[in-house]
Amino acid sequence: MDDKFVVTTIVTIVLAFIALLAKYLNDVKIANRKDKLDRVNRQLKELYGPLLALVSSSSATWDKFREKNRNMVSYFNDKNPPSESEKEIWRNWMENVFVPINEKIYSIVIGSGDLIIEDDFPTCLKDFCAHVEGYRPVIRNWQKNDFSLHTSLLNYPTEIVKYVEDGYKLLKVEQKKLIK
């Protein structure tokens, strides 16, 4: 056998192996990028997008509600308690607006918690879930005409709005990077 033939054969095999390795590495990179994009898309579609719509609308509605109802004091201020009429307004808005929105948010958080950005479950989401759960016995009592309680054991964690907005923005930036 000719030395040139052996060298040419070896070079050809090495180049083919390098090309195959480069293709494999490129395919892995593309697959990883696709997997990351798929996860970001799911996070936006199933968790942060719906949460943003719901917490934003709830927050805007709450602001208008408070603007029209006892806006100068805490609604359940010990020194200036609400009248029976104001308590009835509260119950109506809680039962028909805020609790239904909060139940939707709760379902999304519980059902899509695996899509949370952080490694640990955020405190504002834990507090939100506890707030929702704390309203359930209050609402049940209202349905039995027991109006001795009007609030959950935990206040609504207002920081949830910023948390969801920040998470949504972060994911949109990541999505744009992965699409390029």
Side-chain angles (χ1 to χ4, degrees):
M1 245 196 246
D2 185 325
D3 285 346
K4 271 185 165 180
F5 175 76
V6 171
V7 170
T8 303
T9 303
I10 291 173
V11 168
T12 302
I13 292 171
V14 169
L15 288 175
F17 178 76
I18 291 171
L20 188 62
L21 182 62
K23 181 184 178 339
Y24 170 77
L25 293 174
N26 189 52
D27 288 349
V28 167
K29 181 180 171 185
I30 289 169
N32 286 339
R33 185 181 191 127
K34 183 188 177 307
D35 289 345
K36 286 178 186 176
L37 180 59
D38 288 346
R39 177 159 174 84
V40 167
N41 287 339
R42 281 191 63 221
Q43 287 173 304
L44 286 166
K45 182 179 180 185
E46 297 173 27
L47 184 63
Y48 289 91
L51 287 182
L52 181 60
L54 290 167
V55 299
S56 297
S57 65
S58 178
S59 181
T61 304
W62 175 258
D63 290 345
K64 290 298 180 186
F65 168 76
R66 290 297 284 132
E67 194 177 289
K68 291 187 182 282
N69 298 282
R70 294 181 57 81
N71 70 343
M72 301 308 258
V73 294
S74 168
Y75 209 94
F76 290 95
N77 185 315
D78 290 337
K79 293 179 183 174
N80 181 8
S83 67
E84 289 306 312
S85 171
E86 289 169 327
K87 288 179 185 178
E88 189 175 332
I89 291 168
W90 174 270
R91 290 191 299 269
N92 182 37
W93 278 83
M94 286 298 130
E95 284 186 290
N96 295 299
V97 179
F98 298 113
V99 168
I101 291 172
N102 288 348
E103 288 291 348
K104 288 177 187 173
I105 294 169
Y106 180 89
S107 293
I108 291 167
V109 169
I110 298 302
S112 299
D114 62 312
L115 297 174
I116 289 170
I117 297 168
E118 298 82 7
D119 291 333
D120 296 325
F121 200 78
T123 301
C124 67
L125 295 182
K126 287 179 195 175
D127 291 347
F128 175 81
C129 290
H131 170 77
V132 170
E133 291 162 357
Y135 252 112
R136 289 182 179 148
V138 173
I139 300 294
R140 276 192 211 101
N141 285 347
W142 294 350
Q143 292 165 349
K144 298 176 192 173
N145 290 324
D146 175 358
F147 305 119
S148 57
L149 297 174
H150 280 84
T151 61
S152 176
L153 296 174
L154 274 85
N155 287 334
Y156 182 93
T158 55
E159 62 274 10
I160 193 173
V161 177
K162 182 168 177 11
Y163 168 77
V164 171
E165 287 172 348
D166 291 349
Y168 185 85
K169 288 175 189 172
L170 181 82
L171 289 168
K172 288 303 282 183
V173 167
E174 183 68 18
Q175 182 186 49
K176 285 179 185 175
K177 285 181 192 173
L178 291 169
I179 289 173
K180 289 182 180 180

